């Protein structure tokens, strides 16, 4: 809707009486206006998306049409104190429309995040500067996935150079196809924003000249606060990295540097980076050099910097050409990185047993790695077994990614799981044909394993059939006996794809229990579900001394019974034939639960031989009031775990 230029007072005078159906193109958009004027909107995620076409039809999608008055939209956005995020994915062409919108929007002082995915034009960005000047809450400004021409780039540069926006901490430019003139103008304008903590210039043709401008900007920042710098998917070369490294020495708080996918950098450029790593100002905790075409010579150039005892926690070297010789060079420097937690070496042309043996030595130096990524490196059983020799000494390793190493068989997987039994929480085997043999080996190693939480593989590619899934099902809940159910795995929460998609329904349900309940509660639930009439005979040797413990167990199990019946509708379980073993439990009424308890107590009265009349009197008293501890025997109070462990020992 085209309108003459109106001032802010025009909207203020009419805001109370305006009919939203008159200023919007749809009922959906009118509802969004209702949200914007609500005093305390309840059902709103505090986000709005300006779109050209509907995506999902969500309540936060404002599809701009012919009948939408953008002046009114800007006015209500400007007054709204609840809106946290605004995503401008589309804005119709026309200077009048932009001015009408910005005249109102610039009054917003509460917005925290602004994402722009369409070119607003030079005037639009300069007008946006007025909003930034008024707003002390905006933390994130992201311009992503659209081309920024020279005129728009100069508008952005003007916006950023006019004034320091102290609240702005994160500034992102992603895939904007910026050309050197516009890029240089924007980078130069950043000198006015030393409060920035994160800067992203990814996929924007940053080359030697761009690095020159950025290096000077970093060097000239007074009181720079920059913590994260992302420069991936650009055209950085050796000369550019050298200038950039000099500028970074002025950034005393820089914690993360991302340079991935700049393959023109050679060992010469990496030596400049190594010099920065050795500087007193370097406090990097994350260094991302993925897809940099780094070979053995490149690793050698980095060694001096990595050996300088920097506080590095994460080192990413995936997608390079490091191979065995490079691994050997890298290993010599890693012990100095005493705080290193994550090491990413995926897709590096292949590692043999020789290279992996060198890597294994790292674990024996006291390095406390928590994650090791070795995806797609042509690793076989021999190599994996060489690696795990050192892993036995590492009690901190929680995640290993071996995806797409198809030469690894059940033999190698067994060695890995045994070495990491006490610490490993996540294992990724995407793109590997582990088959039923591998599934059975993994399942066997998960028996009694209380650390593993997530096991990932591709169900449709892994060659795991119903036989392999049965092995997983048994370790999650072995119903052969009460003992076997109790010692089943109650900690792992994922097997197969994400959220265990494609796993059999019963397996997914037991994983659901493991995820949503404490392991002690899971054990209780599985016992209740699969053992409707728990065998009491193994407990008879304790005679009446044990009866209060049985009653206590049922009383503490009842909240678990109630919780699962509230959380999972019975009809949801009944619709699956392969979950028939659970149908009885989910149709059970509260009275049936009480019957279980009484049945267990009755067995003691019926089966245990009472030798004296006083013993008989005690049994009757226990049946009448087992909750009253003053009336119960002074028997040792076992925990449920001790109770069950005793059962296990007895059974064995």
């Amino acid at each position: 809707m085209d309108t003459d230029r109106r001032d802010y007072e025009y909207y203020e005078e009419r805001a109370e009486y305006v009919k939203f159906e008159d200023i919007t193109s749809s009922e959906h958009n009118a509802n969004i206006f209702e949200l914007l004027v609500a005093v305390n909107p309840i059902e709103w995620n505090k986000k709005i998306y300006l779109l050209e076409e509907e995506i999902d039809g969500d309540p936060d999608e404002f599809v701009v049409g012919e009948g939408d008055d953008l002046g009114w939209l800007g006015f209500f956005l400007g007054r709204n104190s609840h809106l946290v995020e605004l995503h401008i994915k589309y804005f119709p062409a026309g200077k009048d429309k932009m001015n009408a919108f910005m005249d109102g929007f610039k009054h917003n002082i509460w917005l925290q995040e602004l994402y722009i995915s369409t070119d607003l034009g030079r005037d639009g960005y300069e007008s946006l500067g007025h909003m930034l000047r008024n707003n002390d809450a905006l933390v994130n400004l992201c311009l992503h996935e659209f081309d920024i021409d020279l005129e728009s780039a100069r508008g952005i540069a003007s916006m950023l150079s006019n004034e320091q926006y102290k609240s702005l901490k994160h500034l992102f430019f992603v895939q904007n196809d910026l050309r050197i003139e516009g890029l240089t103008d924007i980078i130069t304008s950043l000198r006015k924003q030393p409060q920035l903590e994160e800067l992203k210039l990814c996929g924007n043709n940053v080359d030697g000249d761009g690095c020159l401008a950025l290096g000077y900007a970093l060097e000239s920042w007074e009181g720079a606060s920059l913590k994260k710098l992302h420069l991936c998917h650009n055209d950085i070369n050796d000369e550019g990295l050298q200038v950039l490294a000099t500028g970074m020495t002025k950034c005393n708080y820089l914690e993360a540097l991302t340079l991935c996918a700049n393959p023109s950098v050679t060992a010469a450029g990496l030596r400049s980076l190594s010099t920065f790593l050795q500087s007193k100002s370097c406090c990097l905790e994350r260094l991302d050099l993925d897809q940099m075409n780094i070979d053995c010579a490149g690793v050698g150039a980095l060694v001096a910097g990595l050996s300088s005892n920097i506080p590095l926690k994460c080192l990413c070297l995936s997608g390079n050409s490091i191979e065995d010789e490079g691994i050997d060079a890298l290993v010599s420097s890693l012990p100095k990185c005493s705080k290193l937690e994550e090491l990413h070496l995926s897709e590096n042309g292949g590692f043999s047993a020789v290279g992996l043996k060198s890597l294994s030595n790292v674990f024996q130096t006291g390095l406390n790695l928590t994650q090791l990524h070795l995806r797609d490196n042509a690793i076989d059983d021999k190599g994996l077994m060489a690696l795990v020799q050192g892993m036995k000494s590492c009690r901190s390793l929680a995640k290993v990614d071996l995806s797409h190493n198809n030469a690894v068989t059940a033999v190698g997987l067994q060695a890995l799981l045994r070495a990491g039994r006490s610490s490993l929480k996540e294992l990724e085997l995407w793109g590997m044909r582990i088959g039923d043999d591998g599934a059975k080996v993994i399942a066997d190693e998960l028996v009694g394993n209380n650390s593993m939480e997530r096991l990932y593989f591709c169900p449709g590619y892994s060659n795991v059939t119903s036989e392999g899934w049965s092995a997983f099902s048994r370790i999650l809940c072995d119903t052969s006996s009460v003992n076997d159910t109790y010692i089943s795995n109650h900690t792992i929460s994922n097997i197969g794809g994400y959220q265990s998609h494609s796993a059999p329904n019963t397996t997914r349900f037991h994983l659901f229990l493991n995820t949503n309940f404490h392991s002690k509660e899971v054990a209780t639930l599985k016992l209740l579900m699969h053992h409707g009439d728990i065998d009491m005979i193994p407990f008879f040797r304790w005679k009446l001394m044990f009866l209060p413990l049985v009653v206590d167990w049922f009383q503490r199990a009842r909240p678990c019974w109630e919780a699962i019946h509230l959380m999972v509708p019975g009809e949801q379980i009944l619709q699956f034939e392969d979950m028939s073993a659970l149908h009885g439990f989910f149709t059970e009424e509260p009275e049936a639960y009480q019957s279980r308890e009484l049945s267990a107590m009755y067995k003691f009265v019926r089966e245990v031989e009472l030798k004296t009349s006083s013993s008989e009197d005690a049994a009757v008293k226990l049946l009448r009031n087992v909750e009253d501890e003053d009336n119960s025997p002074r028997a040792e109070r076992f925990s449920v775990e001790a109770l069950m462990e005793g059962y296990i020992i007895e059974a064995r």
Side-chain angles (χ1 to χ4, degrees), residues 75-131:
F75 172 77
F76 285 117
L77 286 174
R79 292 209 315 181
N80 187 274
S81 61
H82 300 289
L83 185 66
V84 174
E85 294 181 23
L86 177 62
H87 298 252
I88 304 178
K89 292 182 171 289
Y90 168 74
F91 201 91
K95 184 176 180 179
D96 291 343
K97 294 179 180 179
M98 179 60 68
N99 287 337
F101 177 80
M102 286 295 180
D103 281 350
F105 180 57
K106 69 183 180 184
H107 291 276
N108 188 297
I109 61 174
W110 303 278
L111 189 70
Q112 297 175 29
E113 302 181 30
L114 177 58
Y115 300 88
I116 301 172
S117 303
T118 186
D119 193 8
L120 302 183
R122 179 165 186 164
D123 291 337
Y125 296 115
E126 290 180 347
S127 298
L128 185 60
H130 297 297
M131 192 278 285

Side-chain angles (χ1 to χ4, degrees), residues 250-266:
K250 302 295 182 181
C251 299
N252 296 322
Y253 303 102
L254 192 63
E255 298 174 353
L257 175 62
T258 302
L259 291 171
C260 62
N262 283 289
S264 297
V265 175
T266 70

Side-chain angles (χ1 to χ4, degrees), residues 189-307:
S189 71
L190 296 178
R191 298 178 185 179
K192 195 74 173 181
Q193 310 298 329
Q195 83 290 340
L196 286 176
E197 295 181 1
E198 184 172 13
L199 175 62
K200 186 175 289 188
L201 292 168
C202 296
N204 273 305
N205 307 306
V206 178
D207 56 9
D209 291 334
C211 285
L212 186 65
L214 182 56
Y216 287 156
L218 296 176
E219 203 169 0
S220 63
W221 267 354
E222 294 294 334
S225 303
L226 195 65
K227 294 181 180 180
K228 298 178 182 180
L229 178 60
H230 307 270
L231 297 170
C232 58
H233 295 277
N234 284 304
D235 301 316
I236 298 173
N237 54 23
D238 290 340
E239 293 76 13
L241 187 53
Q242 182 177 5
V243 176
L244 185 63
T246 302
M248 288 191 298
T249 59
K250 302 295 182 181
C251 299
N252 296 322
Y253 303 102
L254 192 63
E255 298 174 353
L257 175 62
T258 302
L259 291 171
C260 62
N262 283 289
S264 297
V265 175
T266 70
L270 293 173
R271 275 191 286 273
S272 300
L273 179 60
S274 184
T275 301
F276 163 66
L277 296 177
Q278 297 173 68
S279 65
K280 293 181 179 179
S281 61
C282 180
C283 57
L284 276 186
E285 295 182 0
R286 181 182 178 91
L287 177 60
D288 191 339
L289 301 175
D290 288 346
Q291 302 175 51
M292 294 277 286
N293 201 27
I294 297 173
D295 55 12
C296 180
V299 173
L302 286 170
V303 165
L306 294 174
S307 300

Side-chain angles (χ1 to χ4, degrees), residues 539-639:
F539 300 120
F540 287 162
R541 72 184 181 94
W542 283 291
K543 300 185 178 180
L544 287 177
M545 177 180 70
F546 204 79
L547 183 55
L549 304 181
V550 175
V551 175
D552 181 62
W553 186 87
F554 274 103
Q555 288 177 344
R556 286 189 286 127
R558 190 178 188 96
C560 297
W561 184 94
E562 293 171 346
I564 195 64
H565 277 81
L566 286 173
M567 187 179 294
V568 181
E571 54 270 21
Q572 184 176 334
I573 302 297
L574 296 176
Q575 66 179 316
F576 297 111
E577 292 184 7
D578 59 344
M579 299 182 72
S580 58
L582 297 175
H583 289 181
F585 175 82
F586 279 97
T587 56
E588 190 175 53
E589 297 295 332
E591 294 78 11
Y593 182 87
Q594 187 175 6
S595 295
R596 291 198 198 196
E597 183 178 355
L598 293 173
S599 174
M601 294 165 61
Y602 173 72
K603 287 179 182 179
F604 273 85
V605 176
R606 186 187 64 184
E607 302 291 343
V608 177
E609 181 179 359
L610 301 179
K611 296 183 178 180
T612 64
S613 59
S614 59
S615 299
E616 293 173 358
D617 292 339
V620 173
K621 184 180 290 185
L622 281 170
L623 283 170
R624 289 176 177 171
N625 192 359
V626 294
E627 293 91 350
D628 186 352
E629 290 205 6
D630 291 335
N631 294 332
S632 63
R634 294 292 181 180
E636 181 181 355
R637 287 286 171 179
F638 298 103
S639 66

